[in-house]
Amino acid sequence: MLQRIPLRSLPIRFDRGNQIGSESSVDIDLLALEADLRKSVKGEVHFDAGTRGMYAHGASIYRMVPLGVVTPLSAEDVQAALTAARAHKAPILPRGAGTSIAGNESNFALVLDLSRHMSGISKIDVAKKQVWVSPGTVLDELRTEANRFGLTFGPDPATHNRCTIGGMIGNNSCGIHSVIAGRTSDNIQELDIVTYEGDRMTVGPATDKQLAKIIEQGGVKGDIYRQLVDLRDKYSDLIRERFPKIPRRVSGYNLDELLPENGFNVARALVGSEGTCVTVLSANVKLIDNPPHRVIVVLGFPDQPSAGHFVSKCLEFGPLGCEGIDAVFFEKMRLKGMEAKHMDLLPEGSAWLLVEFGGNSIDEALSRAQGLMSASKGKAASNLCQDPIQQRHIWDLREAGLGSTAHVPGLKENWEGWEDTAVAPEDLGHYLRDFQALMTKFGYTGSFYGHYGDGCVHVRIDFDLRTESGIQTYRRFVEEGADLVHTYGGSLTGEHGDGQARAELLTRMYGPELMAAFAEFKSIWDPNWKMNPGKLIAPYKLDENLVLGASYEPKALETHFQFPKDRSAFSEVALRCVGAGVCRRKEGGIMCPSYQITLDEKHSTRGRARMLFEMVKGEVVKDGWKSEEVKSSLDLCLSCKGCKSDCPVQVDMATYRAEFLSHYYENRARPLAAHAFGQIHKWARLASLAPGIANFVSQRVFMKRLLGIAEQRELPRFAKATFKKLAKKRVPKGKGEKVILWPDTFNNHFHPETAMAAYSVLESAGFMVDVPMADMCCGRPLYEYGMLDLAKENLLHIMATLRADVRKGTPVVVLEPSCAAVFRDELINLFPFDPDAVALSAQTYLLSEFLDKHAPDYQPPKLSGKAIVHWHCHHKAIMGADSAEALLTKTGIEFKTPESGCCGMAGAFGFEEGERYDVSIKCGERALVPAVNAANHDTILIADGFSCREQIRQATGRDAIHLAELLDQPSGS
């Protein structure tokens, strides 16, 4: 199988002094390349359509389908992959977390994904404040380790919990604290690198004496250093003259690091080369002191230019960081239905500076902060934040930037493409004024935020990248924008790299002579121009290889869900992911549990979203709804809905998965487990006729094998009497407002004691409780298997049965969080324009939510003791746990919630044999199971989710109770 790929090169290239010819394209035998890689590489080798499509674009506006993907286990694996690539003349793209947004993360090349396996931190040299780090190490992992010694790695972009050190080196990343720490290049001591030709060496700074010795020793390294010296001597005056003297000069190669006054630091010269020269195998990084005491001053201004003008004054007081955000930022969050929490921390204004100070004592930090506040009087409103929790809230607001401003309902779509220019901080106010004028001239809008202390401005702009005229206008805008930046002596990129978005414009910034110097620098390292070709130097045009483009014609697909927030089109759903990679973090939040276990891109929310986009596009993934690649990617999705809340653009993979499976199984038999678990309501009704017999049969080994259930699992046992039967015998006591207590399948048939406890709690709160006796089920398990026709029938039946109560506004209390999520989420996605559906969704509450809104005077029992609380994923993602935790606090019980994400059971997921069972167990063992095992026997375990209680019981042997059961206890218990 041959693939012809284009090559980007200059008319003349340099092979260690020898001119070689230029090719415009080359044929690659993918089957032969794959075979050679499988023979020599110990890591994973992927050439399937799904993986290639998944890596075709990351977070940029560009899409380029790679030849294949290799996830090396070691440096030796990287060298083996390079050997195979050379044999087939295949270009190479080394990649980290893939969060670059300038197009540097995609190419027609063999991708080396160093993020999955090549992570690790050597012993920190505390005295020298340095450490060797592998390229796939996540920044926060390094910072956590360094923090043990009162140290940190200075550069910290907003992607700090998933970006890799290798990726930061590739882009020369910066972040919030670059005001004191500088760019990544300023924090690199040495690099262990390998060239495309397979030459491995360690590079770093060199004195004149060391330099002479390296050249004298000869060999490949000596030859390269000799050419670098010649390059430096040839262009040193131009470098000194034309390189911008600003903190955030990231554009181009760091040729200034080769100057004698900068120590001829070859390692730092390679930082920011975006994989176009070498592959980094490890890095010796510099660490800095981490001030233990911090405070933040928030300054409010009437507009962005005013905030920009005041930055220089802020810098006089020696801040650790100085960030900017604007009011448009929060307005877009509001339009998206995202609650911009903690806005009260911002003083009056429409633009804000967030200025952080630190010190070895709180007095030292406060002294500087108070000095700035005094200097700002009469010029800005101010607020001082000393509480560490408030400070984290402020940084959360700032870090929400890229995702929070994307996909805003009612507004035009916005994009990267011109998002991180930088000027001198003293010029920032004037630049912001002129840049806003340029946007107005072109009719563009966008939200401004960024690293204002370094003069770096981030903005997503509502470019039209779907029509010829829109793309032409985009080109004119960025060309004029480049000229504006050059007028201020600035840099086209101040953080994300040139990639493809800015590379074509570098001539406007540096001139033709320095561009020739850049070409020579690349040729010294990569004489055959095989490393990430067409990026940064001799680039593809800034308006080609677009993800969309004027020729983009997505398939029109009929769907069950209506997707009203995505123009009611699955093609728009597939575009929702912006590639920020929040789903790739290894800890914290809910999403994405399967990625946290496998560290495989195809199990991240982003990877799955990219697969779905390729399915819609139909160029690489060609089988549409029947695609086995997409099915495989979705197989380990736990449908936890964590992405619905944790993803900054609310990608909803659980819903997309249900939609896909509904079509995948059209005219195709589902496995028996799908019918057994998906239609559990039907089987539970039958089991209720003879629960003893049902329990006996369900525990037999043959039944587990028949249904594909892991032998280690025990199926839940049916109760002797259903909740409905018990409720029917109960004499009602409540006389107040009517409330419907929903008899969900799980609490009705398996845990009737939970529902009976809720009945008592609601009556004690003064309500008249009504339990519907009609046969109804929300159909929650049906979604996990794509049985959407049945799911819709269930919901239509429910709305018809409850229509009178729905239209009267009767509240519905649902005890099982996943069932409540159906009414709150799936119902209005399936029937967005049905007034009864909208009303029922709004009238559905969890018990804690209902008591909070409808019984504000309700006093829970006063309890003592300790508790461990695990909230169901759907509870956290769709409803939020604030009301439940507030209610628990009122009881007086001492509780903690392990940062465990998903418990791993996820409905039937954890019962199924094979990889699902393994992932389920590992999810539970991340935090929840150890926390339960470590708890005293008298510690109360609280878990509202049926599947969560099953995971706890089967993994620890202990039983958890529902919140309703806790609230039904008498005071003093």
Side-chain angles (χ1 to χ4, degrees):
M1 179 173 64
L2 294 178
Q3 177 167 330
R4 177 168 290 272
I5 61 171
L7 294 181
R8 278 296 191 267
S9 59
L10 293 179
I12 296 179
R13 293 177 290 169
F14 301 86
D15 183 13
R16 307 243 166 94
N18 299 318
Q19 295 182 4
I20 61 176
S22 172
E23 301 171 276
S24 61
S25 63
V26 64
D27 287 329
I28 306 292
D29 188 333
L30 295 187
L31 291 178
L33 174 59
E34 179 184 5
D36 285 354
L37 287 166
R38 292 193 182 281
K39 291 176 185 175
S40 58
V41 173
K42 295 179 180 178
E44 297 86 3
V45 175
H46 302 285
F47 274 68
D48 60 281
T51 301
R52 293 174 64 219
M54 185 169 61
Y55 281 80
H57 76 283
S60 74
I61 61 175
Y62 302 102
R63 174 183 174 275
M64 304 171 75
V65 181
L67 306 178
V69 178
V70 175
T71 55
L73 295 180
S74 62
E76 290 69 30
D77 249 6
V78 172
Q79 290 183 294
L82 289 170
T83 298
R86 285 196 304 277
H88 296 274
K89 297 184 179 180
I92 289 288
L93 167 58
R95 195 176 105 150
T99 58
S100 302
I101 57 179
N104 24 17
E105 85 300 348
S106 61
N107 212 326
F108 304 121
L110 178 66
V111 172
L112 302 182
D113 183 348
L114 308 179
S115 69
R116 188 175 185 190
H117 301 300
M118 292 186 62
S119 62
I121 305 168
S122 70
K123 184 178 179 180
I124 292 177
D125 188 327
V126 178
K128 292 183 178 179
K129 297 182 180 178
Q130 62 185 35
V131 62
W132 279 93
V133 184
S134 298
T137 304
V138 171
L139 171 59
D140 271 2
E141 294 173 345
L142 171 59
R143 295 203 302 175
T144 297
E145 183 65 19
N147 287 170
R148 294 175 53 229
F149 305 98
L151 302 172
T152 191
F153 186 66
D156 58 342
T159 54
H160 54 82
N161 59 4
R162 66 266 192 197
C163 70
T164 65
I165 297 299
M168 293 179 68
I169 291 169
N171 289 354
N172 202 2
S173 300
C174 306
I176 291 173
H177 295 106
S178 58
V179 168
I180 58 161
R183 305 161 297 171
T184 295
S185 58
D186 301 312
N187 295 272
I188 295 298
Q189 311 277 56
E190 299 174 282
L191 293 177
D192 177 11
I193 61 170
V194 61
T195 68
Y196 181 83
E197 300 301 322
D199 300 309
R200 185 174 178 179
M201 65 191 79
T202 299
V203 297
T207 63
D208 288 345
K209 185 176 180 180
Q210 291 170 329
L211 193 52
K213 184 176 180 181
I214 292 171
I215 294 174
E216 182 182 347
Q217 288 176 338
V220 173
K221 183 174 180 178
D223 191 21
I224 288 174
Y225 271 59
R226 175 185 57 77
Q227 292 182 75
L228 291 174
V229 169
D230 292 342
L231 177 70
R232 176 200 67 185
D233 293 345
K234 180 178 178 181
Y235 293 103
S236 57
D237 290 340
L238 269 177
I239 294 169
R240 293 187 182 99
E241 175 189 341
R242 295 188 183 176
F243 266 51
K245 308 300 188 292
I246 61 173
R248 285 291 189 97
R249 198 283 305 156
V250 172
S251 278
Y253 291 127
N254 295 337
L255 299 186
D256 53 331
E257 295 289 355
L258 299 178
L259 296 176
E261 58 266 32
N262 292 329
F264 197 81
N265 195 318
V266 176
R268 293 183 177 180
L270 285 169
V271 174
S273 56
E274 303 179 20
T276 63
C277 295
V278 298
T279 299
V280 175
L281 301 175
S282 62
N284 184 0
V285 305
K286 180 177 74 173
L287 303 174
I288 62 174
D289 291 323
N290 186 33
H293 299 279
R294 304 193 182 205
V295 296
I296 297 177
V297 175
V298 186
L299 301 175
F301 299 88
D303 53 48
Q304 283 287 303
S306 298
H309 286 308
F310 201 74
V311 165
S312 293
K313 175 59 69 175
C314 296
L315 297 180
E316 292 178 10
F317 294 89
L320 302 180
C322 180
E323 300 290 291
I325 51 179
D326 70 5
V328 179
F329 186 92
F330 299 110
E331 174 60 15
K332 289 186 175 181
M333 290 179 70
R334 185 189 67 78
L335 290 172
K336 291 176 66 174
M338 297 174 64
E339 183 182 357
K341 295 181 179 179
H342 317 300
M343 287 288 290
D344 58 318
L345 298 176
L346 303 181
E348 183 180 355
S350 294
W352 295 272
L353 293 179
L354 317 176
V355 191
E356 183 182 53
F357 295 94
N360 292 320
S361 68
I362 189 63
D363 290 338
E364 181 184 352
L366 279 173
S367 175
R368 296 183 179 186
Q370 290 165 347
L372 174 60
M373 292 180 74
S374 295
S376 68
K377 285 184 178 178
K379 299 175 182 176
S382 63
N383 185 29
L384 177 66
C385 293
Q386 292 182 243
D387 180 11
I389 296 177
Q390 289 186 337
Q391 293 177 44
R392 183 62 260 166
H393 291 331
I394 287 174
W395 290 133
D396 286 344
L397 284 172
R398 163 61 185 86
E399 291 174 4
L402 185 151
S404 297
T405 57
H407 297 292
V408 182
L411 300 182
K412 292 186 290 184
E413 58 190 358
N414 54 33
W415 301 94
E416 305 83 9
W418 191 254
E419 70 284 332
D420 67 326
T421 53
V423 297
E426 58 269 24
D427 293 331
L428 182 59
H430 296 295
Y431 172 73
L432 285 169
R433 177 202 62 207
D434 292 345
F435 184 59
Q436 286 179 326
L438 179 64
M439 288 181 63
T440 300
K441 172 184 173 182
F442 279 84
Y444 290 140
T445 62
S447 175
F448 288 76
Y449 57 100
H451 311 291
Y452 283 12
D454 277 339
C456 181
V457 180
H458 292 315
V459 59
R460 283 177 64 93
I461 300 175
D462 50 359
F463 300 124
D464 169 12
L465 300 180
R466 296 182 186 240
T467 68
E468 288 286 359
S469 61
I471 295 169
Q472 290 170 5
T473 302
Y474 160 65
R475 168 174 280 279
R476 292 197 305 272
F477 172 80
V478 296
E479 288 174 344
E480 290 195 30
D483 292 337
L484 175 63
V485 172
H486 181 61
T487 299
Y488 278 94
S491 178
L492 300 182
T493 175
E495 181 155 40
H496 297 144
D498 297 305
Q500 185 174 338
R502 262 88 60 174
E504 186 187 347
L505 304 168
L506 284 176
T507 301
R508 295 169 183 256
M509 178 177 167
Y510 286 110
E513 298 94 340
L514 280 179
M515 293 306 297
F518 291 159
E520 291 181 37
F521 181 78
K522 175 176 172 60
S523 293
I524 289 170
W525 295 104
D526 180 29
N528 290 305
W529 286 50
K530 296 293 187 180
M531 295 298 297
N532 205 10
K535 304 302 170 82
L536 198 152
I537 188 70
Y540 292 99
K541 294 179 180 179
L542 60 86
D543 51 7
E544 64 180 330
N545 302 323
L546 296 172
V547 170
L548 298 182
S551 62
Y552 179 60
E553 295 182 2
K555 295 178 181 178
L557 300 174
E558 291 188 11
T559 59
H560 296 277
F561 289 104
Q562 298 301 299
F563 305 110
K565 293 183 179 180
D566 292 289
R567 305 180 188 180
S568 299
F570 197 80
S571 58
E572 297 300 313
V573 167
L575 276 172
R576 176 165 283 273
C577 174
V578 296
V582 180
C583 49
R584 285 177 54 97
R585 64 189 177 198
K586 296 182 180 180
E587 58 186 24
I590 314 171
M591 107 181 146
C592 178
S594 49
Y595 174 79
Q596 291 174 341
I597 300 304
T598 68
L599 301 184
D600 189 335
E601 176 75 9
K602 87 170 186 176
H603 297 139
S604 70
T605 304
R606 182 181 68 183
R608 292 170 177 138
R610 292 291 177 259
M611 286 265 202
L612 290 170
F613 172 81
E614 293 299 328
M615 181 194 81
V616 172
K617 189 173 180 64
E619 177 187 301
V620 180
V621 178
K622 299 180 179 180
D623 297 329
W625 294 121
K626 303 299 181 182
S627 167
E628 293 298 334
E629 292 93 349
V630 177
K631 168 71 162 47
S632 174
S633 179
L634 293 171
D635 271 347
L636 291 187
C637 173
L638 285 82
S639 296
C640 68
K641 288 186 176 286
C643 45
K644 178 88 172 183
S645 62
D646 286 8
C647 172
V649 289
Q650 295 91 51
V651 166
D652 185 3
M653 195 52 62
T655 298
Y656 309 161
R657 177 178 181 272
E659 185 68 57
F660 174 83
L661 291 176
S662 71
H663 301 284
Y664 177 84
Y665 282 114
E666 285 176 355
N667 303 314
R668 180 181 288 176
R670 287 180 170 86
L672 282 178
H675 297 285
F677 289 114
Q679 301 193 63
I680 184 63
H681 176 70
K682 179 168 66 174
W683 308 125
R685 280 181 58 215
L686 290 174
S688 68
L689 301 176
I693 296 175
N695 288 330
F696 176 81
V697 173
S698 68
Q699 304 308 317
R700 301 305 94 192
V701 173
F702 81 87
M703 183 61 71
K704 293 182 182 181
R705 291 176 179 172
L706 179 67
L707 298 179
I709 297 169
E711 291 191 11
Q712 301 92 324
R713 289 297 192 192
E714 177 185 339
L715 287 172
R717 294 179 180 271
F718 295 99
K720 292 180 180 179
T722 67
F723 165 59
K724 284 185 180 182
K725 288 181 180 178
L726 297 175
K728 204 169 185 180
K729 296 177 182 179
R730 184 182 178 106
V731 178
K733 297 178 182 179
K735 297 180 181 179
E737 176 188 351
K738 177 182 176 181
V739 58
I740 294 173
L741 179 55
W742 181 256
D744 66 87
T745 297
F746 306 107
N747 286 306
N748 184 34
H749 291 279
F750 296 97
H751 290 299
E753 69 280 2
T754 295
M756 291 302 293
Y759 198 127
S760 295
V761 171
L762 289 170
E763 282 195 332
S764 69
F767 295 93
M768 182 177 69
V769 181
D770 176 53
V771 179
M773 293 297 162
D775 181 37
M776 295 183 290
C777 176
C778 72
R780 171 77 269 165
L782 296 171
Y783 296 90
E784 317 314 325
Y785 298 97
M787 297 177 171
L788 297 186
D789 286 325
L790 284 175
K792 287 190 290 186
E793 287 178 15
N794 280 13
L795 291 177
L796 288 170
H797 175 56
I798 290 169
M799 288 191 288
T801 305
L802 298 182
R803 182 163 290 125
D805 278 306
V806 169
R807 293 181 178 179
K808 288 178 184 176
T810 305
V812 180
V813 172
V814 182
L815 301 175
E816 172 59 37
S818 61
C819 296
V822 171
F823 293 133
R824 295 275 280 270
D825 190 17
E826 279 89 356
L827 175 63
I828 53 174
N829 200 342
L830 288 168
F831 307 104
F833 308 111
D834 186 322
D836 289 334
V838 174
L840 176 56
S841 178
Q843 291 162 216
T844 298
Y845 302 91
L846 292 174
L847 179 61
S848 58
E849 293 180 308
F850 175 77
L851 292 172
D852 181 49
K853 182 171 182 179
H854 289 267
D857 297 328
Y858 169 75
Q859 291 299 318
K862 296 300 179 183
L863 305 173
S864 59
K866 297 182 178 181
I868 290 177
V869 183
H870 176 81
W871 303 123
H872 190 287
C873 291
H874 293 177
H875 188 161
K876 292 181 284 189
I878 304 301
M879 284 73 72
D882 289 351
S883 64
E885 293 189 357
L887 195 56
L888 275 174
T889 300
K890 285 183 179 181
T891 67
I893 200 166
E894 183 182 337
F895 69 94
K896 61 181 179 179
T897 55
E899 185 61 61
S900 56
C902 182
C903 74
M905 188 64 87
F909 181 94
F911 285 96
E912 297 186 35
E913 63 185 353
E915 197 171 12
R916 288 192 171 191
Y917 171 78
D918 294 338
V919 168
S920 170
I921 292 299
K922 289 175 182 177
C923 280
E925 290 175 345
R926 293 187 68 249
L928 176 60
V929 170
V932 171
N933 286 335
N936 292 332
H937 188 71
D938 58 357
T939 299
I940 299 172
L941 307 178
I942 301 172
D944 285 1
F946 173 76
S947 57
C948 305
R949 280 180 276 174
E950 278 299 310
Q951 182 76 309
I952 291 171
R953 183 178 68 82
Q954 300 200 27
T956 70
R958 298 184 61 178
D959 290 322
I961 63 173
H962 192 283
L963 177 62
E965 296 171 87
L966 183 79
L967 298 178
D968 194 35
Q969 297 184 27
S971 291
S973 298

